[in-house]
Amino acid sequence: MLVLALDTATPAVTAGVVELLPEQPPRLLAQRVTVNAKAHGELLTPHLREAMAEAGHRLSELDAIVVGSGPGPFTGLRVGLATAAALGQALNRPVYPVPTPDAIALDAVALGTHTGTPLLVATDARRKEVYWAAYDAAGRRTDGPHVDRPADVLPKLPPVTHAAGEGARIYAETFALPVVDATYPSPTSLVAAAADELLSGARPAALTPLYLRRPDAVEPAGRKRVTK
């Protein structure tokens, strides 16, 4: 299968073309990744077009699309999901959402530096908070995702021995765990997280963003008075 992988749930604007075969790990053909929390809308489409060109394929040759579903900030996360949904509809291809921390956990497992040990994945949620989830030694999620202040994560956290993700780096002193060099999701891990569904041709889940908290913007409580 030829799969386009996208993620905008973190500051990394990620697009990659991945080949997926039964009983083999996903193989990266091309990728574009830029860490810029303010450029998801500007960079994602150019990134995916450049990755497709480098891989030597056209969009019409894709078999499926995988997209990180968060959790992440509202604006950035919407860019990835909207782009994936639009491409899926235009190309008549299935779009599979993947929780972004699941992909980071698989990247951490693939590194092999802490093989056989449970893991915390924490990404930056801003406002001095993190999005977090816990994983077993194989990278399977056992808790989360949630959003909390780092100090409030510790009493809720199952036993883990190391951490991954940007949030784990920012709040390394609070978590007091060895941090694995898996900061943002890779295209191969995004595809790996959805590999069983992709290969079986399962119906994709709904493209529902994992926001985990309400937006800052709210509807006005009433009409603003403009005259005295």
Side-chain angles (χ1 to χ4, degrees):
M1 297 185 70
L2 189 68
V3 185
L4 176 65
L6 307 174
D7 190 277
T8 57
T10 73
V13 186
T14 300
V17 184
V18 179
E19 182 182 61
L20 181 63
L21 297 173
E23 300 181 5
Q24 295 186 28
R27 185 170 73 92
L28 181 66
L29 302 182
Q31 68 176 343
R32 291 291 186 276
V33 180
T34 299
V35 180
N36 187 334
K38 298 182 179 180
H40 295 100
E42 292 80 3
L43 294 180
L44 184 60
T45 296
H47 275 16
L48 73 88
R49 292 173 67 91
E50 290 170 9
M52 291 296 303
E54 182 179 323
H57 290 282
R58 299 185 299 273
L59 288 171
S60 60
E61 297 177 80
L62 290 171
D63 295 298
I65 300 165
V66 169
V67 60
S69 59
F74 288 82
T75 302
L77 185 52
R78 282 198 298 265
V79 170
L81 288 167
T83 301
L87 285 173
Q89 184 173 21
L91 299 170
N92 192 27
R93 298 293 189 272
V95 182
Y96 292 84
V98 168
T100 299
D102 291 5
I104 296 173
L106 291 178
D107 278 328
V109 171
L111 288 172
T113 53
H114 292 270
T115 302
T117 56
L119 167 76
L120 163 70
V121 173
T123 60
D124 184 17
R126 304 174 185 173
R127 306 182 192 171
K128 298 182 179 179
E129 294 180 329
V130 294
Y131 299 116
W132 67 274
Y135 295 82
D136 66 15
R140 294 182 293 256
R141 181 157 29 100
T142 58
D143 196 1
H146 308 287
V147 59
D148 285 295
R149 290 183 176 272
D152 295 335
V153 174
L154 299 176
K156 306 175 184 179
L157 189 62
V160 296
T161 60
H162 59 294
E166 183 187 28
R169 291 188 178 280
I170 294 173
Y171 300 104
E173 289 188 7
T174 300
F175 291 127
L177 292 167
V179 180
V180 180
D181 191 19
T183 306
Y184 306 116
S186 70
T188 51
S189 68
L190 289 162
V191 172
D196 290 343
E197 296 170 278
L198 288 161
L199 292 170
S200 68
R203 183 183 181 89
L207 289 178
T208 303
L210 296 172
Y211 289 135
L212 299 190
R213 63 187 180 198
R214 296 182 63 81
D216 293 329
V218 295
E219 293 185 11
R223 292 180 179 273
K224 183 177 180 180
R225 187 174 181 177
V226 294
T227 58
K228 295 183 179 180

